[in-house]
Amino acid sequence: MLNARDILETITMIQDEHLDVRTITMGISLLDCCHSDIDRMCDRVYDKITRYAKNLVSTGEQIEKELGIPIINKRISVTPAAMILAACDDRDAVKLAKTLEKAAVECGVNFLGGFSALVQKGFGPGDKELIEAIPEALSVTDHICSSVNIGSTKTGINMDAVAMMGKVVKRSAELTADRDCIGPAKLVVFCNAPEDNPFMAGAFHGAGEPDCVINVGVSGPGVVRAALAKAGDCDLTAVADLIKKTAFKITRMGQLVANEASRRLGVPFGIVDLSLAPTPAIGDSVAHILEEMGLEACGCHGTTAALALLNDAVKKGGVMASSHVGGLSGAFIPVTEDAGMIDAARSGALSITKLEAMTAVCSVGLDMINIPGDTPPEVISAIIADEAAIGMVNSKTTAVRVIPAIGKKVGDELSFGGLLGSGPVMPLSTYSPAKFIARGGRIPAPMQSLKN
């Protein structure tokens, strides 16, 4: 039962501690849009998206106004585009990307995700065509996000796809070099990609999902940090308990918004993703939560342990608040999108090797990291392979979103604006993994995949 204290606490969270619903994402299946003629299929795709999502933005704005809860983004995710492209005689993936862009603009959403391929065990019809088209597709669109799943605990890692993606990431940066290399900032390479993730750039509408669904992603790093600041010098058991209670409150707010959006749009409710998603705003940082626990700077020894505590406590508190938790659900560590991570990277406290260690216990992986513009594609592929191995062996989602800063070197800055933020170019090892990547083939699935 609500009381005045609960209401005032929530108002403070929203006004002073950056509590918000980060996104309402409508997932739409495009499987019934398949056609052998690319033009007919694009017409069907446009018609279905604009019909289903025509009221998504206005409904989100109404809920935001009535409940007083900020809803930062309204987004769409669709069936992995490679799956419907497979039905076409002319597999013009860029034409499909332009159609998705047109639909996103018509609906007024912030992003549309699902220009994606699932190739963890090999390439099917349409997969290679879509992957090869990603650089151009991201350069000619503003709202389209892309993802490729190259591995899983069940299948192992498709190293041929890993080798392709190193080249795709580099080419995406080159084609958008005049716009601070924005292309790869809209591209994620996954291992164990979830089918119901509402967060960009990795959102897509999985084949096992219903025809249409509403998924909600919440965010509240500032709320967690403020709660810890008030707690004083308690031990780590008490810290974990406090984070659980705070995550419960954050997730209940997301559940309320999800139920309202589902009811008003007449679309089934899917999941609440209870991830702590930071922003470049001061006071809305996952890194600052870790420092509030007692670290001098994010990236120092102890950071991985502190992040593990945070991630686990967020999950435990969130699952008590909603019966349908999904997506990524944990703590994000995107460097350019987190004010504390940006400061730590600039000062040298945070390195890419420490970030890799942190990905073993966080929600996703190496996210929004600027790397030198002359980084060879095989080094990018090796970074992807390392992250995929962590995800595969630990049965968790991992991902890579790195941005080769064309024309820039270590210490220079890239700025994307908005939620994507800005940050320094971080150094990489200069030793070459080229021969390893060139071997191709598949890294076999680990023993823990045999659970039947």
Side-chain angles (χ1 to χ4, degrees):
M1 184 175 179
L2 290 176
N3 57 43
R5 181 179 176 182
D6 291 332
I7 295 170
L8 291 172
E9 181 183 46
T10 303
I11 292 171
T12 299
M13 289 178 179
I14 292 170
Q15 291 183 343
D16 301 331
E17 298 167 4
H18 302 279
L19 177 61
D20 60 57
V21 169
R22 185 55 47 85
T23 180
I24 295 177
T25 302
M26 177 179 281
I28 302 173
S29 173
L30 301 181
L31 293 176
D32 56 346
C33 298
C34 291
H35 198 282
S36 59
D37 181 87
I38 184 72
D39 293 316
R40 290 282 300 277
M41 186 188 75
C42 285
D43 288 342
R44 291 180 175 183
V45 166
Y46 178 82
D47 290 343
K48 184 168 186 180
I49 292 173
T50 54
R51 185 171 73 252
Y52 277 46
K54 63 182 179 181
N55 295 322
L56 176 62
V57 172
S58 60
T59 299
E61 290 172 345
Q62 289 169 5
I63 295 172
E64 185 176 17
K65 183 177 180 180
E66 291 176 21
L67 299 184
I69 297 170
I71 301 173
I72 307 304
N73 286 297
K74 295 84 179 175
R75 299 165 172 169
I76 296 169
S77 63
V78 298
T79 303
M83 295 176 65
I84 63 170
L85 200 65
C88 298
D89 296 328
D90 174 17
R91 293 172 185 162
D92 188 342
V94 175
K95 179 177 284 189
L96 178 55
K98 290 179 177 178
T99 299
L100 294 172
E101 171 75 6
K102 182 181 175 184
V105 171
E106 175 64 24
C107 294
V109 294
N110 304 95
F111 288 110
L112 187 152
F115 195 75
S116 308
L118 311 180
V119 294
Q120 57 267 27
K121 204 171 183 178
F123 301 97
D127 288 333
K128 285 188 176 180
E129 290 90 343
L130 183 130
I131 291 172
E132 289 169 353
I134 287 173
E136 182 181 353
L138 295 181
S139 71
V140 299
T141 60
D142 294 321
H143 300 83
I144 302 308
C145 292
S146 181
S147 60
V148 178
N149 193 67
I150 50 80
S152 73
T153 300
K154 196 70 177 174
T155 65
I157 302 171
N158 181 351
M159 290 300 291
D160 294 322
V162 169
M164 285 184 71
M165 291 311 300
K167 298 173 183 176
V168 167
V169 170
K170 183 67 177 284
R171 185 60 179 155
S172 298
E174 291 170 345
L175 290 182
T176 55
D178 60 332
R179 287 167 280 165
D180 276 321
C181 307
I182 190 67
K186 300 185 292 176
L187 170 61
V188 182
V189 187
F190 274 117
C191 179
N192 290 321
E195 296 190 351
D196 55 4
N197 167 27
F199 285 99
M200 300 295 171
F204 64 87
H205 188 70
E209 295 288 299
D211 187 49
C212 188
V213 70
I214 287 291
N215 297 319
V216 168
V218 298
S219 180
V223 176
V224 175
R225 186 197 180 192
L228 290 177
K230 296 170 187 173
D233 294 328
C234 56
D235 67 17
L236 292 177
T237 302
V239 166
D241 191 52
L242 181 59
I243 294 171
K244 283 193 296 182
K245 292 176 180 177
T246 306
F248 177 88
K249 296 172 184 177
I250 294 169
T251 307
R252 289 302 287 174
M253 184 195 72
Q255 178 78 55
L256 171 63
V257 170
N259 288 337
E260 273 299 299
S262 171
R263 181 182 65 81
R264 297 184 189 201
L265 290 166
V267 173
F269 160 61
I271 58 94
V272 174
D273 186 320
L274 49 91
S275 295
L276 293 181
T279 72
I282 300 300
D284 197 26
S285 164
V286 168
H288 289 158
I289 297 174
L290 305 180
E291 291 168 1
E292 195 65 53
M293 290 184 195
L295 304 178
E296 181 178 0
C298 180
C300 72
H301 296 299
T303 299
T304 305
L307 181 59
L309 183 156
L310 172 64
N311 206 55
D312 180 67
V314 166
K315 291 178 186 291
K316 287 175 177 173
V319 296
M320 288 297 292
S322 174
S323 296
H324 298 289
V325 171
L328 298 164
S329 289
F332 289 178
I333 53 170
V335 175
T336 71
E337 297 179 6
D338 184 304
M341 295 285 180
I342 296 168
D343 291 342
R346 284 174 177 156
S347 70
L350 188 63
S351 67
I352 196 164
T353 52
K354 187 58 178 178
L355 282 164
E356 184 178 304
M358 293 164 67
T359 62
V361 299
C362 79
S363 183
V364 193
L366 295 173
D367 197 14
M368 289 302 292
I369 298 171
N370 299 327
I371 60 176
D374 60 358
T375 302
E378 60 267 21
V379 172
I380 300 172
S381 294
I383 293 171
I384 293 168
D386 284 343
E387 271 304 292
I390 291 173
M392 175 185 72
V393 171
N394 291 287
S395 301
K396 73 181 292 294
T397 300
T398 51
V400 171
R401 185 165 48 149
V402 294
I403 300 93
I406 304 302
K408 296 182 183 292
K409 61 184 185 302
V410 172
D412 292 341
E413 297 262 337
L414 274 183
S415 179
F416 308 104
L419 291 176
L420 295 176
S422 63
V425 176
M426 300 181 71
L428 302 176
S429 172
T430 57
Y431 294 94
S432 176
K435 187 174 180 179
F436 173 71
I437 297 299
R439 288 180 181 273
R442 280 169 54 199
I443 294 179
M447 281 297 294
Q448 51 264 49
S449 69
L450 302 176
K451 293 184 177 180
N452 293 334

